[in-house]
Amino acid sequence: MKKIYPILSLIALFFVTLTPVFAQFPMVGVPTTAIQSPKGNVKISGILIDSSSLKAVEYASIALYKLSNGQAVDGTVSDEKGKFSFSKIEAGEYKVLISFLGYQTKTIDKLNFTKGQEFDLGAIKLNPVVKNLDEVTITGSVDLIEEKVDRLVYNAEKDITAKGGDATDVLRKVPMLTVDLDGNVSLRGSQNIKVLINNKPSTIMASSVADAMKQIPADQIKTVEVITSPSAKYDAEGSAGIINITTKKNSLQGVNLNVDGGVGNRGSILSLNGNYRKGKAGFTLGGFGRANYNTVTKSSLEQSSTTQGLTTTVRQTGDGYSQGLFGQYNLGFDYDLAKNQSITAGARYGVRNMSFQQDFLTQLFSNGLETGTSSRNVDSKNLSGTLDMNLDYVHTYKPQQEWSISTLYSRNDLTNNFDADLLNESGTLAGRQRNDNNNLNQEFTVQTDYQTPIKRNQMLEFGGKGIFREVNSDYRFLIAGPSGEFNTDFNQPAGALTYHQNIAAGYTSYTYTTKKRYTFKGGLRYEHTMIDASTQENGVIGIGDYGILVPSFNASKTFKGTTVKLAYNRRIQRPGLQQLNPNFNSANQQNITVGNPELRPELTNNYELTLSKTIKKTFVTSSFFVRTTNNAILQVTKPSDTLAGAVITTYENIGHQQTYGSNIFSNVALTSKINVGIFLNVLYSTLDGQITNANGILESRKNSGFNISGGMFGQAQFKKGWGVQAFGFMQGSQVQLQGRQGGFGFYTLGVKKDFKDKKASLGLAAENFLGNSFNIHTELNSPQFNQVSDVYLYNRGFRLTFSYKIGKMSAMEMPRKKGKSVNNDDIKTDGQNSGGSVPGGGQQNRQ
C-alpha cells in the first residue's frame, strides 16, 4: 500500500487543476447537430406535467417545426420544474412536438404567431405509457448484427443455436472476432484485447480469457459489443480494442423467474434468474451451473533440437480427456435516491473446476539412434474462485450532464496443479511428479467522471482513476518413487512471485459536431504505472515505473446514405498473470511453458478507415486498418539446455509487429423474416525481432504472411413460433514469429419452437455434425529446433434446450438512471501474438 498515496495525490492534483471547468461550463442543453439559429422576436413558453400524478416532467424533448416546409426550427428540453421556452422565433405558423421515454408523443398543431408576440402554451399534460406485458404483441425484430456509430453489436439473444452453450459459442459468430478451439479470443488477428462483462472488468480475465468465457452461459448474453478505436475515456490498455459482453437484465415492475436448461452429448446447463422491482428499488438474483464432459483430444508431435552439438529427436503421441464444472452466482441492487440520483451495487461469485487427463507415449532419438521410450500419465487441475463487488453512484444534472463515482473490488484465487505418473517400457510405475502452483490476483479500483455539454454541438468529458493491483504466485515441484512420499525436487525451480502494480490515470475528451453533421472527437489520457516486483529466489525485479500519454481522435460523416469514419489511437498493453508467472509448467516434459516476470508493456498505434452503406435491404460495412506495435509481447520457443529433446516456451518483448487488414461484412434482409449475411477478414502481418537462443546468442527472426478467415450465417422465422438458424466459418493458418499455426472450420445448425406466447421454448442445436474430428496442423522452427504438431479435436455435438418463464410483470415505462461502473481495460491476456485462431465476426462503455 506504500504507493497508494502518490496515486491519490496525483488524482487530487488532476481534479484541482480542472476545477475551473465546472464554473466555465455550467448546466446547459443537449449537444446535437446545430439547428439554424432563429432570428425573430416571438417568445414561446410552457410547462409539462404528468396527466396522472400532476407532477412536472423534466428532461422531455420539445421540438419546434415550421408548417410551411416541415423543417425543425429550434429544440430544447424541459427543466427540473417541467418548464421550457423558445425565443427569437420568426412570425409564422408552427407545430410543437413533445416526446419523452415512458410517455405518449404529443403534438400541438397549427400555432400562428405574430411579430413580437409572447405566447404561453400553459400546462401541457403528457399521458404515461402503461403496458401489461401479456397484452403486448411485438411485430418487429432486432437485426442479429448492427453497425452503430461507435461500435458493432451482435445481438446474441437472437441466436437460437447458442442456447445451452457458453460465451465462446457466441463470440465465434461476431464479425471481426476469432476464437480458437481453446477459447482464446482475437480481434483483427490480435489477442491483445480487454474483455468486459456489463461494462465491468474482473480478475477472472487476468488469468485466462478462454477459461472465463466458459463460465458465462450463452443464453444469458444479450449483446456482444466490439469497439476498435476507444476514446480517451477508456483505459489505455488493449492494443486491438475492447469487447463488452452485456447480459440480460430486467428493470420492469413486478417479479419473475426464468428457467433455462440444456442437455447434450458434450455438455449440460441449468440456470435460474429472478428479478424483483418495486418502485425505486430493484433486486436481481441468479445462478447457473454447467458441466462439460466427453471431450476427447488426440495429438501427435515430432520435434528435433540441437544443443551443444547433439541433435535429439522426439516423437510423441497423446490421448486426452477433459471435463469441467462451472458455476456463477450474482446478486444485484439498484435504488433511485432522487429523480436525478441513483446508486447500484452488486456481487458476483464464480467458480471453475476443470480437470484434464493426458497420456503421452514418447520416443527419444539421439543423432538418429533410438535411446528410449517412456510413458507419462498426467492429471491436471485448473480451479478458481472469483469474487467481484461494486458500488456506484451517478448524479444527472441535466441531459448529458452528469457526475459519477465508481468503486470495484475484485479477487481471483487460482490453482493450476498437476500430478504425473512415470511408467517404464514395461508399463510399471517408475516414479511420480507433482507441481503445485497457487495464485492470488486482487485489485481495488476507484474512478470518477464528469461530462457536460457546451452549447448544442459540443461535449466536454474528464475524469480520474486509480487501480491498486497485487499478484502473488507460489510454486514448487515434488518427486516420489513408485511407493514413497513426495519430496522437493531441487532440480526444478521453486519459489514465489510478488507483483504490485498501481496505476494513476486522468483524461479529458472533447466532441464537436458541425452544422453539416461532421463529428470530431479528440482526447488525451495520461497513465502512470508504478511497479514493485520481486521473486523469492532472485529478489527485486528492476522493472521501474513508467508513464504514457495516450492520444485518440475519431471523425465521422454521413452523406448520401454512406457513413465514413476515420480513427487514430495509441494503446498500451501490460503483461498478464500467466505471462508473468515464473512457474515451469512441465505437464508435458517435451513442451514446457514458463512466464517472464521481467516483461515490459508494449505500445501500439492504430489507424482505421470505415465505410458503411445501406442499399435497399442490404447493409455493407468495410474497415481498413493499420496497426504498428513496438516492444511486442510474443511467445518464443527455445530448446531446453537441461532436458534432452524438450523445448521451452516463454514470453519476451521481441521487437516490432505490423499488421495491415480489412474486415468486410454484409447483411441482406431477404424478407422481414429471413436474413443472411457474409463476412471476410483479411490480414497481412509482419513480425521481426531478436531472440536469445539456447546458447545465449542473439539471433534475428522475421516472419510475415496472410491470415484469412470468413463465414456465412442465416436465420429465418416462420409461423406458429418456429425458427431456424445456420452458421459456418473457416479459419486459415495463422502467422507466428517462428512459424504458422493451422486453421480449421466450425459450423452450427439450430431449430427452435416457442410456446404459450414465448413463455416457453424447446430447441435442438447441432455443431460440426458432418465429420467426426478435424486437425490443427502447426509448424514452428528456428536454427536450433523444428517442431511439427497435429491436434485432432472430436467436437461433434448435439444439444436439446428448453426455457420457461414464470411470473407476470407489467411496466410503467418511466426513465431510469443509467448506471456507471468501473472498467479496467489494462491487462494483456495469455494469448500468443498476431495469430488468433475460429471467429466470428461488436456500446461504448466506461474506462
Side-chain angles (χ1 to χ4, degrees):
M1 297 294 288
K2 62 183 180 181
K3 292 194 174 183
I4 291 180
Y5 298 106
I7 292 181
L8 296 177
S9 300
L10 181 59
I11 294 175
L13 178 62
F14 177 78
F15 277 100
V16 168
T17 59
L18 290 178
T19 299
V21 178
F22 286 89
Q24 185 177 356
F25 303 112
M27 309 171 194
V28 291
V30 181
T32 184
T33 302
I35 299 174
Q36 185 172 354
S37 300
K39 299 179 181 179
N41 55 6
V42 175
K43 294 182 180 180
I44 308 168
S45 61
I47 183 171
L48 305 181
I49 61 174
D50 186 299
S51 62
S52 58
S53 66
L54 300 182
K55 293 182 178 180
V57 178
E58 53 185 331
Y59 307 148
S61 298
I62 305 98
L64 185 65
Y65 290 85
K66 201 162 187 177
L67 286 181
S68 61
N69 54 21
Q71 292 184 351
V73 175
D74 204 353
T76 187
V77 295
S78 58
D79 62 17
E80 64 274 7
K81 296 182 180 180
K83 295 181 179 180
F84 68 92
S85 64
F86 299 106
S87 59
K88 298 182 180 180
I89 304 298
E90 290 182 330
E93 289 188 330
Y94 295 88
K95 71 174 180 178
V96 174
L97 184 68
I98 304 169
S99 61
F100 194 41
L101 179 65
Y103 290 91
Q104 296 177 7
T105 300
K106 190 176 187 68
T107 301
I108 304 175
D109 211 347
K110 296 182 180 180
L111 296 172
N112 194 344
F113 305 120
T114 58
K115 290 184 178 181
Q117 184 178 4
E118 293 187 7
F119 192 90
D120 186 358
L121 296 172
I124 303 171
K125 295 182 180 181
L126 300 183
N127 297 320
V129 177
V130 181
K131 295 181 180 179
N132 185 310
L133 298 189
D134 289 337
E135 299 173 355
V136 176
T137 301
I138 300 175
T139 58
S141 64
V142 179
D143 292 336
L144 187 64
I145 299 175
E146 296 179 274
E147 172 78 13
K148 296 191 176 182
V149 174
D150 57 352
R151 63 200 185 274
L152 184 145
V153 181
Y154 181 84
N155 292 294
E157 59 184 347
K158 304 296 291 184
D159 183 356
I160 65 177
T161 65
K163 186 175 287 292
D166 57 36
T168 302
D169 302 306
V170 175
L171 295 184
R172 283 195 175 104
K173 304 174 185 180
V174 181
M176 294 189 291
L177 299 186
T178 60
V179 184
D180 67 18
L181 296 174
D182 293 324
N184 298 306
V185 184
S186 300
L187 171 57
R188 288 178 170 172
S190 174
Q191 294 184 4
N192 301 341
I193 55 179
K194 183 63 181 179
V195 180
L196 307 173
I197 302 174
N198 293 327
N199 296 322
K200 296 182 178 67
S202 173
T203 54
I204 188 175
M205 299 294 178
S207 58
S208 172
V209 170
D211 290 341
M213 293 300 97
K214 295 181 178 67
Q215 297 190 38
I216 305 173
D219 45 15
Q220 289 301 309
I221 297 176
K222 181 178 181 180
T223 62
V224 178
E225 304 166 344
V226 175
I227 179 166
T228 57
S229 184
S231 70
K233 288 185 67 174
Y234 294 84
D235 283 350
E237 193 71 18
S239 298
I242 296 171
I243 300 172
N244 181 43
I245 299 173
T246 60
T247 58
K248 297 175 182 177
K249 297 180 180 179
N250 194 327
S251 59
L252 303 178
Q253 299 288 322
V255 60
N256 78 321
L257 176 67
N258 294 340
V259 182
D260 294 274
V263 60
N265 64 321
R266 301 195 186 278
S268 300
I269 188 171
L270 177 65
S271 67
L272 300 172
N273 290 277
N275 298 273
Y276 174 77
R277 175 162 295 281
K278 182 70 173 179
K280 297 181 178 181
F283 299 87
T284 61
L285 179 65
F288 86 96
R290 175 179 174 82
N292 287 350
Y293 43 79
N294 196 26
T295 304
V296 178
T297 302
K298 296 184 182 295
S299 63
S300 66
L301 170 71
E302 182 168 337
Q303 66 187 27
S304 61
S305 60
T306 302
T307 56
Q308 299 178 352
L310 180 66
T311 299
T312 302
T313 300
V314 176
R315 293 175 183 169
Q316 184 185 82
T317 59
D319 291 292
Y321 177 87
S322 64
Q323 59 185 7
L325 294 173
F326 308 89
Q328 190 178 98
Y329 316 94
N330 61 277
L331 175 65
F333 169 75
D334 64 90
Y335 185 78
D336 293 338
L337 299 172
K339 287 186 177 181
N340 58 348
Q341 299 180 65
S342 64
I343 60 170
T344 59
R348 183 177 67 245
Y349 180 74
V351 61
R352 179 176 72 246
N353 188 336
M354 299 179 62
S355 65
F356 307 87
Q357 290 79 40
Q358 296 172 295
D359 298 336
F360 298 105
L361 176 63
T362 305
Q363 295 176 283
L364 293 179
F365 299 84
S366 180
N367 290 335
L369 300 176
E370 185 174 357
T371 58
T373 301
S374 64
S375 297
R376 182 180 178 87
N377 299 337
V378 183
D379 185 4
S380 303
K381 301 292 184 183
N382 186 340
L383 316 174
S384 77
T386 305
L387 175 65
D388 295 323
M389 302 175 66
N390 69 284
L391 179 63
D392 312 312
Y393 167 82
V394 61
H395 188 151
T396 302
Y397 300 94
K398 292 281 188 179
Q400 300 291 319
Q401 184 182 33
E402 61 187 29
W403 171 69
S404 65
I405 184 167
S406 306
T407 62
L408 172 72
Y409 173 75
S410 190
R411 175 189 176 106
N412 185 18
D413 294 277
L414 180 66
T415 299
N416 276 305
N417 298 339
F418 75 79
D419 285 277
D421 291 337
L422 311 181
L423 308 179
N424 55 31
E425 294 186 17
S426 62
T428 59
L429 183 64
R432 294 178 293 162
Q433 291 182 340
R434 174 176 294 173
N435 175 207
D436 291 335
N437 183 206
N438 298 310
N439 304 277
L440 172 63
N441 186 0
Q442 58 183 341
E443 59 189 46
F444 176 74
T445 304
V446 57
Q447 74 179 52
T448 184
D449 304 276
Y450 179 77
Q451 68 177 39
T452 182
I454 307 170
K455 299 181 179 179
R456 289 195 179 94
N457 62 335
Q458 302 170 63
M459 173 71 79
L460 178 67
E461 303 166 275
F462 53 85
K465 183 174 186 177
I467 306 174
F468 313 103
R469 179 177 292 123
E470 179 180 358
V471 174
N472 293 282
S473 177
D474 296 316
Y475 49 94
R476 63 173 182 162
F477 283 84
L478 304 172
I479 56 174
S483 59
E485 295 182 356
F486 280 102
N487 296 297
T488 301
D489 183 358
F490 294 102
N491 295 320
Q492 296 272 24
L497 168 70
T498 302
Y499 197 94
H500 293 273
Q501 183 185 83
N502 298 329
I503 303 168
Y507 76 90
T508 183
S509 178
Y510 173 75
T511 304
Y512 176 72
T513 302
T514 69
K515 294 181 179 179
K516 294 186 178 181
R517 296 184 180 272
Y518 287 91
T519 300
F520 303 94
K521 185 169 187 176
L524 283 174
R525 184 181 184 92
Y526 179 77
E527 294 189 355
H528 189 78
T529 304
M530 292 157 278
I531 295 179
D532 183 6
S534 63
T535 60
Q536 189 179 62
E537 59 274 27
N538 297 320
V540 176
I541 302 173
I543 299 177
D545 302 345
Y546 53 88
I548 178 175
L549 185 64
V550 183
S552 64
F553 175 78
N554 291 271
S556 67
K557 166 65 176 175
T558 300
F559 56 94
K560 296 182 179 180
T562 300
T563 299
V564 180
K565 293 188 287 187
L566 287 171
Y568 163 77
N569 62 80
R570 193 183 191 202
R571 312 294 291 165
I572 184 174
Q573 193 73 56
R574 300 178 181 88
L577 170 61
Q578 187 166 335
Q579 296 167 323
L580 296 168
N581 189 358
N583 174 60
F584 270 66
N585 187 339
S586 58
N588 182 352
Q589 284 200 316
Q590 305 308 316
N591 265 311
I592 301 170
T593 60
V594 59
N596 179 5
E598 297 184 4
L599 287 174
R600 294 186 59 81
E602 64 181 32
L603 301 176
T604 299
N605 291 300
N606 293 294
Y607 309 85
E608 180 179 350
L609 168 65
T610 301
L611 304 174
S612 302
K613 186 175 182 63
T614 300
I615 307 172
K616 295 183 179 179
K617 295 182 178 182
T618 301
F619 172 77
V620 180
T621 179
S622 300
S623 298
F624 308 90
F625 67 92
V626 177
R627 183 172 63 237
T628 61
T629 302
N630 293 312
N631 217 30
I633 300 174
L634 299 177
Q635 278 191 348
V636 175
T637 302
K638 309 174 185 178
S640 171
D641 55 2
T642 58
L643 296 174
V647 296
I648 298 176
T649 299
T650 186
Y651 300 88
E652 293 185 7
N653 296 109
I654 62 98
H656 185 73
Q657 178 178 352
Q658 191 154 336
T659 301
Y660 306 87
S662 176
N663 309 111
I664 302 173
F665 169 76
S666 177
N667 184 33
V668 182
L670 298 178
T671 70
S672 60
K673 301 292 185 179
I674 303 176
N675 284 283
V676 296
I678 185 172
F679 58 88
L680 177 66
N681 307 313
V682 180
L683 314 176
Y684 184 81
S685 297
T686 300
L687 304 94
D688 61 86
Q690 290 187 320
I691 301 174
T692 304
N693 63 26
N695 299 320
I697 301 174
L698 280 176
E699 61 180 40
S700 296
R701 293 290 297 173
K702 185 174 182 178
N703 198 13
S704 61
F706 282 96
N707 305 329
I708 301 176
S709 63
M712 300 180 65
F713 65 89
Q715 63 174 352
Q717 296 291 330
F718 302 106
K719 295 180 179 179
K720 299 182 179 180
W722 286 96
V724 64
Q725 188 175 82
F727 172 81
F729 172 79
M730 291 294 294
Q731 170 72 63
S733 62
Q734 303 288 293
V735 63
Q736 299 184 357
L737 180 65
Q738 295 172 291
R740 294 189 73 93
Q741 177 180 335
F744 56 91
F746 188 90
Y747 53 90
T748 62
L749 177 65
V751 61
K752 187 179 74 167
K753 166 67 173 173
D754 292 324
F755 303 92
K756 296 183 178 180
D757 297 326
K758 295 188 177 183
K759 282 190 174 182
S761 69
L762 189 66
L764 178 65
E767 59 187 29
N768 296 336
F769 49 88
L770 297 179
N772 188 38
S773 67
F774 56 86
N775 173 31
I776 299 179
H777 180 81
T778 301
E779 296 186 13
L780 302 177
N781 60 78
S782 78
Q784 284 76 41
F785 85 97
N786 290 281
Q787 182 187 89
V788 177
S789 66
D790 291 276
V791 178
Y792 300 88
L793 297 167
Y794 296 79
N795 67 343
R796 175 192 287 168
F798 300 91
R799 291 195 303 269
L800 179 66
T801 63
F802 66 89
S803 66
Y804 190 76
K805 300 178 181 179
I806 304 172
K808 181 179 179 180
M809 301 191 74
S810 59
M812 173 80 74
E813 293 186 353
M814 298 298 291
R816 300 206 51 79
K817 313 300 183 294
K818 61 180 180 179
K820 300 296 180 182
S821 62
V822 168
N823 287 343
N824 290 347
D825 316 328
D826 71 319
I827 292 296
K828 183 180 176 79
T829 70
D830 59 337
Q832 297 183 11
N833 44 55
S834 66
S837 305
V838 182
Q843 159 154 316
Q844 200 170 19
N845 33 45
R846 305 193 52 83
Q847 83 270 24

